[in-house]
Amino acid sequence: MRKLLALHNIFRIVCCNACVIIILCQMVCFGKNVELQAFEEHLKFHHLKQAIVIYGGRETREHNCFGINSVNRYFFKFVNIAYLKNNTNFYKLLRGNSHRTGVFMTYTRGNVVKDRFLQKASENYWFNNSMSWFIVLDDKYHNNHVEKMQQAFGNLNVLLNSDVSVGLKNKSCFIDIYDIYKICQRCKNEKLTIEYKGNWSQTSVLKIEDRFRLPFALRRRNFNNSPVKVATAILDYSPSLNMTIPEYLNDNKHYLYNDFLQRKTYQLLTRTQEVYNYSFQLTIEKDWGSFSNGTWSGVLALLKNHDIEFSVNPLRYMSERFHILSYTPEVHVELVRFLLRHPKQRGIRNIFLEPLANTVWWSVLALIVITGIMLAIHVHAEFQIYWELKRLQPHESAATTLKQLVPEHNLDFIVLTTLEAVFMQGPTPEQFHSNSIRLLLTSVSVFALLLVQFYAAYIVSSLLSEPPRTITTLDALYNSSLEIGMEKARYNYDLFNGTTNRLVDNIFKYRICKNGKQNIVTLEQGVQRIARGGFALHVTLNRAYQLLEDKLSESQFCELQEIIFTNAFTTGIGMAKTTPYSIYLKSAILKFRETGILNYNDLAWKLAKIDCAALAKDDVEVDLEHFAPVLVILALGIVIAIWVFILEHLYKRVANRLRVNYEIVCKTMRKYLPK
């Protein structure tokens, strides 16, 4: 009996101790210790060091801090929301010292203070990826929890990029964790998407589903075909194009010079619709946007006012825009340069004068003059010798005397003979018997032959090779005889008015603005003047090339010259500051760049380059500009010959009339003179 009594006492003691342990465990489970331990595991899972603990009402700071085992490893900021005012600055209130901050709070429905805090956080769009929320609901929410969470958080802007974890604590020291977000916060009656994320307990610590270890941009990729508000600026569309605006935006075969940037970028971003399963709710604006009189206009105004999520046209990276919008990575690079058809020659020199320098031409002329003088001396001497022999042998004929024709000694004969030697069309051998004259003419002919061979070879080779270009810098452009203009676009005024380059400023003041607004033209007018030649236009190259394709031949296209004075415009997609689609667009564009889709889109809209080296092997022509001096010389010779003919004719008529009058006078005088 004693043994049975002893066993009974031992059993009672064990049962009492077990009850005490269970009661203590239950007390711990219902304390703040459990919730904050779970939050600590939440911080560790997300690799966060900064944390904000929200408390208020009957809660105290010490009550919330109780139970954190490793407070020294985290930086905690405690916020008492019981004293919040309507003008509370939430940016200062919830700002942390790191990019991401953890936020902890407990929630009981009907708590006016916390309801007001959550509503303020929602209005200021603080449910986003920059803050990792951990909200613990009371036990009474565990039954029918989906409906209860819809009632508690369904009216909040829990954005698509939010990181909000809701914990439901039950009576067994066990917390179920759910991930909540809205796919379309602008849609009416949009419900929360609630996904089971994992659980926490004191025995098994934190267990998270594998897919929640991925970034949210990889987990939430299906937007259920929800509409997303976007906008673009359409400037060149006209109903006369015989296509609707959607057809116009999706077309990449026709009218590529119209709204080039907008259409190209629109077609790139339509690929993201397939990636994330959403649609565009498009707004058309007539202006890209600018800042005037303290307000923004166009697409920029819509972004600033959060009326749209992002633009589907590219925007330049500009410092004054960073405070009203965010940018994606680069989607397009726009080249802005001076464009001109490079002239083939400068000044009065042409293709017939190019082979020889001025000093060589003067030397050739001097040699011709000296040859003429020496030939005149030799001809005069030979003429004197001929008549001297004729006098000594009066009965001999000229042919037997010198076995040649009677030598000429007139000036025109000497000039023509000299030119015949220079042009390798020498006189007949019977004209000159003297060896000295023949040697002189032979040496001149050999010289002329070498000169012509070199001259002709140089001209032919210069026609077959690419001519050197001299107008390749801003300084050369400024000092050239070309007219200089710019496209009538806002970016050009910003560039030239904001420049610190003195040469660029002089080009704008003294060349572009020289004739008022005559050289500030539309794109179409400027391209026409480029095609005619003699005009340099500062313009965006992509659109200009698309227009020039139909106005220039292939050889003329190879004459185009670009001159740079500013960096290319790098552009990205403009996004509203609070848009939840920011990370999605950025990751999609980076993926497009990695897989080559971005480069493919560039090539689809880029004009194919012409192989100018291959064109150089084709037949070349001397244009009228370079052939004009030859025609001028011929025309001048014809005019001089006509005038000489007229003068000779008048001289002969006057001389004949004078001779006739003289004979008449002589006959008359003979009649009256005594015989």
Side-chain angles (χ1 to χ4, degrees), residues 229-276:
K229 289 188 175 181
V230 297
T232 188
I234 299 297
L235 309 180
D236 302 322
Y237 172 77
S238 172
S240 61
L241 299 178
N242 296 323
M243 59 177 69
T244 63
I245 289 182
E247 292 174 342
Y248 176 72
L249 289 172
N250 286 289
D251 182 75
N252 62 353
K253 301 296 182 183
H254 308 94
Y255 313 108
L256 300 187
Y257 47 84
N258 287 345
D259 297 309
F260 177 88
L261 295 180
Q262 302 95 301
R263 294 164 67 191
K264 175 188 174 184
T265 309
Y266 176 85
Q267 293 181 23
L268 175 68
L269 292 184
T270 53
R271 300 176 186 273
T272 63
Q273 293 178 319
E274 303 171 3
V275 176
Y276 298 119

Side-chain angles (χ1 to χ4, degrees), residues 478-489:
Y478 179 72
N479 294 314
S480 70
S481 59
L482 297 176
E483 292 188 34
I484 305 176
M486 73 178 193
E487 182 188 2
K488 189 177 181 181

Side-chain angles (χ1 to χ4, degrees), residues 345-563:
Q345 56 91 22
R346 299 180 62 191
I348 62 171
R349 293 185 68 86
N350 57 75
I351 195 170
F352 295 99
L353 298 178
E354 285 291 341
L356 303 178
N358 292 332
T359 54
V360 178
W361 284 117
W362 287 113
S363 300
V364 172
L365 181 61
L367 182 62
I368 293 174
V369 173
I370 293 172
T371 301
I373 294 173
M374 293 181 64
L375 184 60
I377 294 173
H378 284 275
V379 168
H380 180 73
E382 186 172 357
F383 183 78
Q384 294 296 330
I385 293 173
Y386 174 83
W387 286 110
E388 182 65 24
L389 293 176
K390 185 70 175 176
R391 186 180 62 80
L392 295 176
Q393 302 176 359
H395 302 291
E396 297 289 337
S397 64
T400 57
T401 302
L402 289 176
K403 297 179 181 179
Q404 65 176 26
L405 301 174
V406 178
E408 296 283 352
H409 64 287
N410 296 328
L411 179 62
D412 56 351
F413 171 76
I414 295 171
V415 172
L416 291 175
T417 302
T418 304
L419 293 177
E420 286 177 347
V422 170
F423 293 112
M424 298 180 293
Q425 303 291 329
T428 60
E430 292 81 6
Q431 288 287 344
F432 304 104
H433 182 70
S434 174
N435 291 329
S436 60
I437 296 178
R438 292 184 176 183
L439 181 61
L440 175 64
L441 294 178
T442 301
S443 61
V444 172
S445 297
V446 172
F447 165 77
L449 176 64
L450 297 176
L451 179 65
V452 168
Q453 290 298 322
F454 172 79
Y455 179 84
Y458 184 91
I459 289 181
V460 173
S461 62
S462 65
L463 286 174
L464 294 177
S465 62
E466 184 179 357
R469 299 196 175 190
T470 54
I471 308 178
T472 58
T473 62
L474 279 179
D475 186 63
L477 177 64
Y478 179 72
N479 294 314
S480 70
S481 59
L482 297 176
E483 292 188 34
I484 305 176
M486 73 178 193
E487 182 188 2
K488 189 177 181 181
R490 184 176 184 86
Y491 71 87
N492 269 326
Y493 290 100
D494 294 338
L495 284 176
F496 286 105
N497 291 329
T499 184
T500 57
N501 188 320
R502 188 175 185 84
L503 177 59
V504 175
D505 187 58
N506 289 338
I507 289 177
F508 180 70
K509 290 180 179 179
Y510 304 119
R511 298 301 304 278
I512 295 178
C513 300
K514 178 178 65 175
N515 299 322
K517 295 185 178 181
Q518 180 179 349
N519 290 333
I520 302 177
V521 295
T522 63
L523 177 65
E524 291 75 12
Q525 294 171 340
V527 166
Q528 290 178 357
R529 294 178 67 177
I530 291 175
R532 290 197 299 266
F535 183 71
L537 179 69
H538 192 258
V539 66
T540 54
L541 294 186
N542 287 305
R543 298 176 64 210
Y545 279 138
Q546 296 290 348
L547 284 171
L548 287 170
E549 183 182 16
D550 299 329
K551 298 181 181 297
L552 299 179
S553 64
E554 290 184 344
S555 59
Q556 291 173 335
F557 214 93
C558 290
E559 297 173 4
L560 294 176
Q561 175 68 42
E562 302 171 7
I563 300 178

